[in-house]
Amino acid sequence: MVSVNELRTMYEQMVTARYYEERLQEEYLVGKQPAFDISAGPIPGELHLAAGHESSGAGVCIHLRDDDTVTAPHRPHHIAIAKGVDLKKMTAEIFGRKTGLSKGKGGHMHLFDPDVNFACSGIIAQGCPPAVGAAMAAKKRHTDSVAVAFLGDGAINQGGFFESLNLASVQNLPVVFVIEDNDWAISMPKHRVTDVTDGSQRADGFTMPGERVDSDDAVAVYEAAGRAIARARDGNGPTLLEVQVHRRMGHFMGDAEAYRPESDISHSKRRDSIERLAEDLRAHGVEDDEIDEIRERAHERVDEAIAWAKEQPEPDPSEAYEDVFTNPPAQATTDGGYSDSGSTSDAAADGGEQ
Amino acid sequence: MVSVNELRTMYEQMVTARYYEERLQEEYLVGKQPAFDISAGPIPGELHLAAGHESSGAGVCIHLRDDDTVTAPHRPHHIAIAKGVDLKKMTAEIFGRKTGLSKGKGGHMHLFDPDVNFACSGIIAQGCPPAVGAAMAAKKRHTDSVAVAFLGDGAINQGGFFESLNLASVQNLPVVFVIEDNDWAISMPKHRVTDVTDGSQRADGFTMPGERVDSDDAVAVYEAAGRAIARARDGNGPTLLEVQVHRRMGHFMGDAEAYRPESDISHSKRRDSIERLAEDLRAHGVEDDEIDEIRERAHERVDEAIAWAKEQPEPDPSEAYEDVFTNPPAQATTDGGYSDSGSTSDAAADGGEQ
Amino acid sequence: MATESRDVTQATETDRELTMSRAMVEAIAWEMRENDEVFYMGEDVAEYGGIFSSTTGLLDEFGPDRIMDVPISETAFLGAAVGAAQAGMRPIAELMFVDFFGVAMDQIYNNMAKNTYMSGGSFSVPMVLTTAVGGTYNDAGQHSQTLYGTFAHLPGMKVVVPSTAYDAKGLMHSAIRDDDPVVYMFHKRLMGLGWMPSPSGPKTPVPEEDYTIPFGEADIKRHGNDVTVVTLGLHVHRALDAASQLEDDGIDAEVIDLRTLVPLDTETILDSVRKTGKLLVVDEDYQSFGVTGEIIARAAEGALDDLSEVKRLAIPDVPIPYARPLENEVNPSTDKIAAAIRELHE
Amino acid sequence: MATESRDVTQATETDRELTMSRAMVEAIAWEMRENDEVFYMGEDVAEYGGIFSSTTGLLDEFGPDRIMDVPISETAFLGAAVGAAQAGMRPIAELMFVDFFGVAMDQIYNNMAKNTYMSGGSFSVPMVLTTAVGGTYNDAGQHSQTLYGTFAHLPGMKVVVPSTAYDAKGLMHSAIRDDDPVVYMFHKRLMGLGWMPSPSGPKTPVPEEDYTIPFGEADIKRHGNDVTVVTLGLHVHRALDAASQLEDDGIDAEVIDLRTLVPLDTETILDSVRKTGKLLVVDEDYQSFGVTGEIIARAAEGALDDLSEVKRLAIPDVPIPYARPLENEVNPSTDKIAAAIRELHE
Ligand SMILES: Cc1ncc(C[n+]2csc(CCOP(=O)(O)OP(=O)(O)O)c2C)c(N)n1
Ligand SMILES: Cc1ncc(C[n+]2csc(CCOP(=O)(O)OP(=O)(O)O)c2C)c(N)n1
Ligand SMILES: [Mg+2]
Ligand SMILES: [Mg+2]
C-alpha cells in the first residue's frame, strides 16, 4: 500500500518534471522566434518533452535505490528527475555548459549520472541491453540491485528490445522493462506500425509476465511497478510493464503535429495524472496548502536550477578533445588535422537566410 | 489431404537430400584426412549438413511454386533441393566451380537461384527480412505469390527475426516463418539460451498463429505447412510454423560434439522421417520396388550432379573482380592495388604444419 | 573525368530555383510516375513527409502503398527492401539518420551490398538507401555524423553525396535507375528546411525535365591554380566560401566536389593536384581511416612527384559533441579551411 | 615509439612455446584469477571452448557464471557487456566472427565506444570485445573479413590486432586492464588450431608470468634499410616470408607490425619511411577508405619529402569470394608482397 509520504514524493517529482519542461520549453524558444531555427538559442538541437508521461517516471522510480540502474530513451527528463539525477548539473548539460553532467558533450538525449546509475541513449530501444547488463552485474555480484529500462511504444518493434527480453528471461535477471505507450512514434500511430494493441502482449512470446496500467492513476502505476520491481529484487526475474501515457505535445519541439487529429491532441490534454494525484493526496488528508507548498517548492527548485545553469560557463573548445578515453593513449591517435582553438561558428554562417 | 503423388515427391526429395549430403560428406573429407584441415580438399570452408531435417524442407516446399520465394539459413541443402534449385549448378557452386550457381563466389552458405527464387544467408535470422520483402512485393503487385523464411531454433533470439514477425503481421503479408528446431545451436542446448520451450510460442507475442509439428511425420509437416501457406496465399497473413527436427550430425563437418550427450546423439539417429514416409507410401499402396526405384533414381541424380560438378572448370582468378555490381562504374573504383592474375595459393604456405 | 566545368548558375536553361529537398522529391516523383515498381518506405515518410522533407507531398500523389510508413524496425524494413529489390522492384528505403545504421548494418552490408557478388550476378539489388547525414545544429553524437567513410569502405554499394539541388536531382534519377544498391546521403543542412536554414549555395536552378548525373564524375565547383581542395556535401559550400575570401589575397583555390565516393573519380583529383601541387582534403567524417586518408593516398599513389604538400581537415577522431563551442571546434569551419589553404599556399 | 627492436625468439627468457590461442587464454585466465569482476561471455564459449579456441579450458576452472554461453542475440549480449562494464565489472564479450558486427553495431559504436565521451568521462566502459577475423580458408563473404578499417575509423574504441603468441598475451593483459573498450581482433589462421594449420611465425616463446604490451607501440618485426612494409595480423608473417625471399637478392625490407590500429604508432612508420623512402602497406581489409589509405596519408603528411614511392596491397574492393583461386587472388599473397617490394626497390 502506498504511503502518504510516497504520494507526496511522487507528486513532487511529477510537478517538478512538468514545470521543468515548461521552463525548458520557454528557454528553448529563445532565439528561435519568430523563425524557428533548431540550431539557435541557448538550447539548440532536438528537445523531446514528456508532458503526460510523468506518473510513469515517478511511479516506477519511487521503488528504486541509488544503486539500482535506470536507462532512459530520448524523452528522459521525467525519468531522470524521478531517479534523483542532479537537477542543476542536468540542466547545465541541457544548456551545453562546462559544469553539466557530461561537460556539455551529451545534451538532453545523453544524460549520465553515475551517482544514481542513470544513463540515456537516443537510439530506439538501445537502453534495453545495457539495463540487462546492469542486472547481470547485480546477479553476478549477489547484490539485490535491479535495473529498469524505459522505452516507447514505437520501440517495441526494435530487435534489441526482443533480444533483451529473452536474455533477461532465460537468465532470470532482475530487470524491468517499462513501455511508455503514448500511442505515437513521431507521426506514426501505433496501429499502423505495431501488430498488437497493447505492448504488454509482447511478453506472451516469452516466459515473462506482462502488465499494463493507466498513467492517469499514479497509484496504480506505483503498485504495478512495485510488484515488478519486488519480483526482480527477490530473484524472480524480469517483468514487462506497460504504462499508457499521453503525449500532450509534439514529438519534439517544433513539431506542428499536422498529422495528428485534433481530438487526439485534446484527449491527451484532458485532466491528467498530476491533478488526480493531488486529489489522492487530499483524500489522504493532505491539505491544499501543503499541496501548493510542494508545488511551489518544486517550482523554486526548477527555477534555481535553470538560473544556475544559465550562469555556468560554456566549455572551452579545447575540451572537445578530452574524454574520448578514460585512459588516453600516451601518444595521440592522430594529429587531429588541426588542434588549435580559435573556433568560429559556421552554423551562423550557413544559416544565411535565417 | 496429401495425395500419393505428393508423398512420392516428398520421399524423392528427402532421399535426394539425405544421399546428397552423404556424398558431400565423402567429398568434403577428401584431402582432410588423416589431419583435418578446413581449407584443404575439393570442398573447403565450413559445411553444415542437414541430416534429420529433410521432411521440413520437403513438407513445406511441396506447397510452393517457382514464383514463391524461399530464404534459407546456413544449413540449406535439403531446402534448396525441395525448392527445385538446379542440383548440378548448386553442386558446382559447393565445389567452387565457374559454372556454379554463383560462379564459385558463394559456396554452400550462399546458394542463389533466381529461377526458383531461392536465396541463402550465413548470418543467423537474416533471411527473414528479405522474405518479408518478397512478400511485400507480391502484395504490392497483387500476385498470389508467397514467401517462406527458414531459420533454426537458435535464430529465434535474434532481433531481425522478431522485427520481421511484427512487420509481416502489421502489414498482413503472405509469408511463413519456419523454425527448424533441432534443439541445438552449435554447442548450446536450447534451454540454456532460449526462454520458451517451443519456438512457436514466440507467435503469442504477436497477432499471428504459431504451430508446432514433429518432423518424424512428414505428412503432418505437409499438412501444417499447407495450412500456413494457404493462409498466406489467400491474403490472411503470416504464420509461425515450427518443425521439431533432429541434428543427426555435428553442427558442421569437423565438429566432434564433445559437448553433446551420447543419448542425445543416438536419439537423433533413431528411425526417422524417411523410413516413416516409406511406410506411408506402402500404406498408400506403393510397392517396395517402386520405392527402391525412387531412391535409386534420386541417388543416380545426385551421383550425376556430383560427377558433373567435379568436371567443371575452376573460375579464373580474374573473375574475382567481376559481379561486384550489375552495372559496374565506367571508371574502376580503385586501381585495385594489383589486378594482375598470376595468383599463388598462400593457404598452403600458411599451413606449414599440415 | 569531371563533367564540363561550369558555374552552377549556368548549368541549366531554367531560372527556377529549388531547394535540395524539392529537387530530390521531384526526381523521386518523376521516377514513381514512370515506373510502378518504385516505392518509398521509411519512418515518418507518409503524413509527415520525411523528418528532413525527403518525401514532402508524395503521399498525396502516390498513396500509402507506395509511400509507406514502417515500424521502427530498420533490420526488418531495410532487409525487406533487399528482398523486394531481389524480386525486381525498385524500393527506396530511408534510414532516418545515418547514425542509426548500427541497428541494421547486417542487412545493409551483408545482404544489400553483397548479394549481387555472392550470387555471381544472378541477382541484382536495385534499391536506394536514402539517409540524412551531418551536424552543425547541436544534435550530439548519435545524430550528427556523416559516416561517409564507413559506407564507402565496404564494397558493393555505390555512395552518393549531393551538395546542390541540381546535383541532388540528377543523382537521384541515376540512383533510382541504377541496377545496384545506392546509398544516397543527403546533408540536413543543405536541404533547405524552414527550421534549419541552409547556406545559399545548395539552392540552385533546376530543370523541370528529368536528367541524370553519372556516378564517378566529380564536379569542379571552382577552378583555380594554386591549391586543390577536395571535399563533398556541406563542406563544398564552406570550401567555396573560403576560396572566395582568399581571392582578394590573390590565392586561387580549386574546389572539387566528389559527388560520389563509390565510384571515386581519382582522375579529376590527380589532374588538379598535378596542376597545383598542393592538396587539402576537407571532410565532415572522422579523420582517421576514412575519406581524407583515401584521397591523400590516391594522390600519393598517382602524383607523388607533383605533390609538394598535403593537409586534411576532418572530425578529429572524437564523437560529435553537443555544446555549440565544442561542435564548432570539431566540424571544419570556413575559417579553418581558409587558414589551411593559406598555409598550403605559403 | 616502437618497443626495443628484438627478434621474437629473444624477447623472453623462456623456451616454452605457445600457440596464439593458448597465449590469449593464459592471459584471460590470469586476469580472471586476479579479479572477480572479469567474466567472459559469447556463443559457444563454455563447453565448446570457443569456436576458435579463445576460451579452451576456462569453463572447468571458472564455471558457467564466469564463462557464459549466451543466446544468438549479439545486440543484447554486447549491450549487456556495456551495461555491466558501466556498472564497474570488466566483461569480455565475444563476437564469434567479426563479419557479424552488423547485427549489433549500434551497441558497439553508439554505446560501447561513445558512452565515455558522451558522459563527459563520468562513466567508463572497461570491456574487451574479442572477435575472430580473416580469411584464407574459403569461408566466403560473410565469414572471412577482417574489417580492421571499419572499427578503427569510429572513435572511442582501442583496436588491437596481435600477430604472435607473445604479443597476443601481452596485448590481452593490457586489454583487460584497460579502462576503455578494446576491440581485440584475433586472426583465425594464427591461432594454432588443429584444424586450420598456422604458419610457423605466430607460435613463439611466451613467459609464464603476466606482462603487458602498451597500446600504440608498433613492433619492428624485421629491420631493414631499403623498403618499409607496414602491415598487421596474418600479413606480418607473409611480409616476413617475402622479406626473407628477397634477402638473397640483396633487398633489405623493414617489416613493421602495427599491433594496434587505435592508437596508431605514426612515429615508427615515419622513422622508417624517412630511412627507406619507400612504403608498402599490406592489409587484409578492403583497400579503399581503410587502413592502407590512412597509413599512406600519415606518411604523406609527415614525411612527404622523404617519400619516393608508395604502394599498397589489400582486398581490392570486392566481397571475399569462396572458391580457392578467387580468394587467393584477392588476399595479398607472399609472392605479391615480394613482387611489390621488388618493384619499389627498383
Ligand atoms: C533505431 C532508431 N530508429 C529511429 C529513430 C528516430 N526516432 C527517434 S524517437 C522516434 C519515435 C519513438 O517513438 P516511441 O518509442 O513511441 O517514443 P516516444 O517518442 O513516443 O516517446 C524515432 C523513430 C531512432 N532514434 N533510433
Ligand atoms: C548473427 C550470427 N551470429 C552467430 C552466427 C554463428 N552461427 C552460425 S550457425 C549458429 C547456430 C545456429 O543455430 P540454429 O539457429 O539452431 O541452427 P542450426 O545450426 O541448429 O540448424 C551460429 C551461432 C551467425 N552465423 N550469425
Ligand atoms: Mg510513443
Ligand atoms: Mg538448431
Side-chain angles (χ1 to χ4, degrees), chain B residues 41 46 94 157 187 192 338 350, chain D residues 44 69 73 139 322 324 330:
Chain B
E46 289 175 72
I94 294 170
N157 302 321
S187 73
R192 183 181 301 160
Y338 54 100
D350 288 330
Chain D
D44 306 289
D69 276 344
S73 307
D139 218 9
Y322 163 65
R324 200 174 281 125
V330 303

Side-chain angles (χ1 to χ4, degrees), chain B:
Chain B
M1 262 291 290
V2 66
S3 72
V4 64
N5 257 337
E6 288 172 318
L7 291 180
R8 278 195 193 90
T9 305
M10 286 198 287
Y11 184 75
E12 179 163 350
Q13 283 166 349
M14 285 161 64
V15 292
T16 303
R18 178 69 58 89
Y19 182 69
Y20 185 68
E21 293 203 330
E22 285 165 7
R23 290 286 294 108
L24 281 190
Q25 188 176 1
E26 283 167 34
E27 297 289 341
Y28 185 79
L29 288 173
V30 171
K32 297 195 184 70
Q33 279 166 331
F36 187 93
D37 173 357
I38 190 172
S39 47
I43 307 179
E46 289 175 72
L47 185 67
H48 308 85
L49 300 181
H53 287 224
E54 291 89 350
S55 67
S56 160
V60 171
C61 294
I62 193 163
H63 302 285
L64 299 178
R65 309 183 306 232
D66 285 355
D67 62 312
D68 295 326
T69 294
V70 163
T71 63
H74 56 286
R75 201 179 296 290
H77 305 147
H78 63 301
I79 306 168
I81 287 169
K83 185 65 172 71
V85 169
D86 187 300
L87 194 66
K88 283 187 173 163
K89 288 196 206 162
M90 162 172 155
T91 311
E93 184 58 33
I94 294 170
F95 279 82
R97 303 306 165 106
K98 189 186 174 82
T99 50
L101 285 173
S102 301
K103 305 178 190 164
K105 294 195 168 89
H108 112 102
M109 279 188 279
H110 306 285
L111 304 170
F112 290 87
D113 190 344
D115 291 342
V116 296
N117 290 291
F118 182 89
C120 284
S121 169
I123 309 291
I124 293 304
Q126 297 303 296
C128 295
V132 170
M136 208 181 251
K139 190 172 178 191
K140 286 191 191 303
R141 288 164 160 172
H142 307 290
T143 73
D144 68 345
S145 306
V146 304
V148 179
F150 284 84
L151 57 147
D153 53 291
I156 68 164
N157 302 321
Q158 179 68 224
F161 162 66
F162 295 105
E163 292 189 2
S164 298
L165 294 189
N166 175 66
L167 180 56
S169 179
V170 75
Q171 295 199 349
N172 198 44
L173 298 176
V175 57
V176 178
F177 302 92
V178 179
I179 304 169
E180 296 191 329
D181 177 8
N182 63 10
D183 293 311
W184 291 91
I186 311 186
S187 73
M188 303 192 300
K190 194 170 54 176
H191 67 84
R192 183 181 301 160
V193 291
T194 303
D195 67 334
V196 294
T197 44
D198 294 350
S200 56
Q201 291 171 251
R202 290 282 191 247
D204 299 346
F206 299 83
T207 53
M208 183 187 301
E211 186 168 1
R212 186 177 160 87
V213 64
D214 192 329
S215 69
D216 287 357
D217 184 356
V219 176
V221 177
Y222 168 93
E223 283 168 356
R227 283 190 293 277
I229 291 166
R231 189 169 179 270
R233 217 182 282 292
D234 293 347
N236 296 320
T239 300
L240 179 61
L241 178 66
E242 182 172 41
V243 187
Q244 171 74 61
V245 297
H246 307 284
R247 201 181 87 190
R248 293 169 74 99
M249 314 188 57
H251 170 75
F252 35 32
M253 290 291 298
D255 177 4
E257 297 196 282
Y259 53 81
R260 192 171 174 191
E262 191 47 56
S263 59
D264 189 74
I265 298 180
S266 56
H267 172 78
S268 76
K269 289 186 178 156
R270 80 201 187 296
R271 194 187 68 111
D272 76 352
S273 57
I274 294 185
E275 285 173 58
R276 175 144 168 197
L277 186 54
E279 275 172 33
D280 288 336
L281 279 167
R282 278 180 218 112
H284 279 75
V286 181
E287 307 281 336
D288 276 353
D289 278 2
E290 198 194 331
I291 294 174
D292 292 346
E293 202 188 289
I294 295 175
R295 201 171 44 240
E296 273 153 34
R297 200 168 56 227
H299 289 198
E300 254 168 53
R301 193 170 149 242
V302 166
D303 287 329
E304 241 177 70
I306 290 179
W308 183 83
K310 289 165 74 176
E311 280 164 12
Q312 298 304 299
E314 294 200 311
D316 188 82
S318 66
E319 292 181 43
Y321 303 91
E322 295 167 8
D323 297 322
V324 179
F325 294 114
T326 296
N327 171 28
Q331 186 186 10
T333 305
T334 165
D335 63 296
Y338 54 100
S339 62
D340 51 304
S341 48
S343 78
T344 326
S345 165
D346 257 34
D350 288 330
E353 301 167 8
Q354 74 191 82

Side-chain angles (χ1 to χ4, degrees), chain A:
Chain A
M1 264 289 292
V2 66
S3 73
V4 65
N5 256 338
E6 288 173 318
L7 291 179
R8 276 196 194 91
T9 305
M10 286 199 287
Y11 184 74
E12 180 163 349
Q13 283 165 350
M14 286 160 64
V15 292
T16 302
R18 178 69 57 90
Y19 182 67
Y20 185 69
E21 294 203 330
E22 284 165 8
R23 290 286 293 109
L24 280 190
Q25 187 175 2
E26 284 168 32
E27 296 289 341
Y28 185 78
L29 289 173
V30 171
K32 296 195 185 70
Q33 279 167 331
F36 187 92
D37 173 357
I38 190 173
S39 48
I43 307 179
E46 287 176 74
L47 186 66
H48 308 84
L49 300 180
H53 286 223
E54 291 89 349
S55 67
S56 160
V60 171
C61 292
I62 193 162
H63 301 286
L64 299 178
R65 308 183 307 231
D66 286 355
D67 62 312
D68 295 326
T69 294
V70 164
T71 63
H74 57 286
R75 201 178 296 289
H77 305 146
H78 62 300
I79 306 167
I81 287 168
K83 185 63 170 73
V85 170
D86 187 301
L87 194 67
K88 283 186 172 165
K89 288 197 207 161
M90 162 172 156
T91 312
E93 185 59 33
I94 294 169
F95 278 83
R97 304 305 164 106
K98 188 186 174 83
T99 50
L101 285 173
S102 301
K103 305 178 189 163
K105 294 195 167 86
H108 114 101
M109 278 188 280
H110 306 284
L111 303 171
F112 289 87
D113 190 344
D115 292 342
V116 296
N117 290 291
F118 182 90
C120 283
S121 170
I123 309 291
I124 292 304
Q126 296 303 296
C128 295
V132 170
M136 208 180 250
K139 189 172 178 192
K140 287 191 189 303
R141 287 164 160 172
H142 307 290
T143 72
D144 68 346
S145 306
V146 304
V148 179
F150 284 84
L151 58 147
D153 53 291
I156 67 164
N157 302 321
Q158 178 68 224
F161 162 67
F162 294 105
E163 293 189 2
S164 298
L165 293 189
N166 176 66
L167 180 56
S169 178
V170 75
Q171 296 199 350
N172 196 44
L173 298 176
V175 57
V176 178
F177 302 92
V178 179
I179 303 169
E180 297 191 330
D181 177 8
N182 63 10
D183 293 311
W184 291 91
I186 311 186
S187 72
M188 302 192 299
K190 194 171 53 176
H191 67 85
R192 183 180 302 160
V193 291
T194 304
D195 67 333
V196 293
T197 45
D198 294 349
S200 57
Q201 290 172 250
R202 290 282 191 244
D204 298 347
F206 299 82
T207 52
M208 183 188 301
E211 186 168 0
R212 186 176 159 88
V213 65
D214 192 329
S215 70
D216 287 357
D217 183 357
V219 175
V221 178
Y222 167 94
E223 283 168 356
R227 283 190 293 276
I229 291 166
R231 188 168 180 273
R233 217 183 280 293
D234 293 347
N236 297 320
T239 300
L240 178 61
L241 179 66
E242 181 172 41
V243 187
Q244 170 73 62
V245 297
H246 307 285
R247 202 181 86 189
R248 294 170 73 100
M249 314 189 55
H251 171 74
F252 36 31
M253 290 290 300
D255 176 5
E257 296 195 281
Y259 53 81
R260 192 171 175 191
E262 191 47 55
S263 59
D264 190 74
I265 298 181
S266 57
H267 172 78
S268 77
K269 290 187 177 153
R270 79 203 189 293
R271 195 189 67 110
D272 76 352
S273 59
I274 294 185
E275 284 173 59
R276 173 145 168 198
L277 186 55
E279 274 172 33
D280 288 337
L281 279 167
R282 276 181 219 111
H284 279 74
V286 180
E287 307 280 337
D288 275 353
D289 278 3
E290 199 194 327
I291 294 174
D292 291 348
E293 203 188 288
I294 295 175
R295 201 170 45 240
E296 274 153 33
R297 202 168 55 228
H299 289 198
E300 254 169 52
R301 192 169 149 242
V302 166
D303 287 330
E304 242 176 68
I306 290 179
W308 183 83
K310 288 166 74 175
E311 280 164 12
Q312 298 304 300
E314 293 200 312
D316 187 81
S318 66
E319 292 181 43
Y321 302 92
E322 296 167 8
D323 297 322
V324 178
F325 293 114
T326 296
N327 171 30
Q331 184 186 12
T333 305
T334 166
D335 64 297
Y338 54 101
S339 62
D340 51 304
S341 49
S343 79
T344 328
S345 165
D346 256 34
D350 288 328
E353 303 167 8
Q354 72 191 85

Side-chain angles (χ1 to χ4, degrees), chain C residues 83-125:
Chain C
Q86 289 182 179
M89 296 195 77
R90 300 186 91 82
I92 310 173
E94 178 170 310
L95 177 65
M96 191 190 286
F97 287 71
V98 75
D99 313 68
F100 309 158
F101 85 100
V103 300
M105 192 55 174
D106 188 66
Q107 290 298 335
I108 296 171
Y109 105 110
N110 265 331
N111 283 350
M112 182 186 87
K114 290 180 185 160
N115 277 358
T116 302
Y117 191 81
M118 303 293 283
S119 70
S122 75
F123 275 100
S124 295
V125 189

Side-chain angles (χ1 to χ4, degrees), chain C residues 16 18 69 140 193 196 268 310 325:
Chain C
R16 189 186 65 138
L18 291 186
D69 276 346
L193 308 171
M196 195 192 294
T268 297
V310 300

Side-chain angles (χ1 to χ4, degrees), chain D residues 4-262:
Chain D
E4 263 315 88
S5 146
R6 53 176 179 68
D7 276 350
V8 167
T9 46
Q10 294 168 354
T12 67
E13 311 99 46
T14 174
D15 283 343
R16 189 185 64 137
E17 291 208 340
L18 291 187
T19 61
M20 206 168 94
S21 143
R22 291 307 313 166
M24 266 178 66
V25 170
E26 193 167 274
I28 295 167
W30 196 95
E31 296 292 335
M32 288 187 71
R33 271 174 225 127
E34 284 297 297
N35 187 347
D36 284 348
E37 301 282 0
V38 180
F39 68 100
Y40 200 112
M41 65 174 150
E43 293 150 20
D44 306 289
V45 302
E47 273 87 356
Y48 202 106
I51 296 297
F52 301 104
S53 299
S54 52
T55 55
T56 309
L58 294 178
L59 177 69
D60 285 347
E61 180 172 354
F62 299 103
D65 254 17
R66 298 188 66 197
I67 303 293
M68 192 167 77
D69 276 344
V70 290
I72 311 176
S73 307
E74 285 82 358
T75 292
F77 79 77
L78 293 178
V82 174
Q86 289 182 179
M89 295 193 79
R90 301 186 91 83
I92 310 174
E94 178 169 310
L95 178 66
M96 191 191 286
F97 287 72
V98 75
D99 313 66
F100 309 157
F101 85 100
V103 299
M105 192 55 175
D106 189 66
Q107 291 297 335
I108 295 171
Y109 105 111
N110 265 331
N111 282 350
M112 182 186 86
K114 290 180 184 161
N115 277 359
T116 302
Y117 191 81
M118 303 294 282
S119 71
S122 75
F123 275 101
S124 295
V125 189
M127 65 179 273
V128 182
L129 172 59
T130 51
T131 189
V133 306
T136 74
Y137 65 104
N138 311 103
D139 218 9
Q142 295 180 338
H143 291 77
S144 302
Q145 304 164 105
T146 68
L147 298 177
Y148 296 142
T150 299
F151 283 83
H153 179 54
L154 299 165
M157 307 175 256
K158 297 173 181 173
V159 180
V160 173
V161 184
S163 73
T164 68
Y166 180 84
D167 289 353
K169 179 169 170 179
L171 291 166
M172 181 58 86
H173 278 294
S174 299
I176 299 173
R177 294 178 198 178
D178 202 286
D179 286 333
D180 292 309
V182 176
V183 180
Y184 187 104
M185 307 177 107
F186 55 88
H187 199 294
K188 298 160 222 168
R189 180 58 86 185
L190 299 180
M191 291 292 269
L193 308 170
W195 49 278
M196 194 192 294
S198 290
S200 57
K203 189 168 185 179
T204 64
V206 176
E208 311 258 359
E209 67 277 12
D210 65 304
Y211 59 94
T212 57
I213 293 178
F215 295 162
E217 299 197 0
D219 187 39
I220 303 177
K221 287 277 195 288
R222 184 186 195 284
H223 285 268
N225 289 307
D226 296 340
V227 173
T228 299
V229 184
V230 175
T231 186
L232 74 173
L234 172 66
H235 285 74
V236 169
H237 304 283
R238 292 191 174 179
L240 288 170
D241 286 350
S244 305
Q245 283 178 24
L246 296 168
E247 249 169 36
D248 295 344
D249 302 341
I251 302 177
D252 186 19
E254 177 145 303
V255 177
I256 297 176
D257 177 0
L258 291 171
R259 294 205 296 201
T260 65
L261 284 170
V262 180

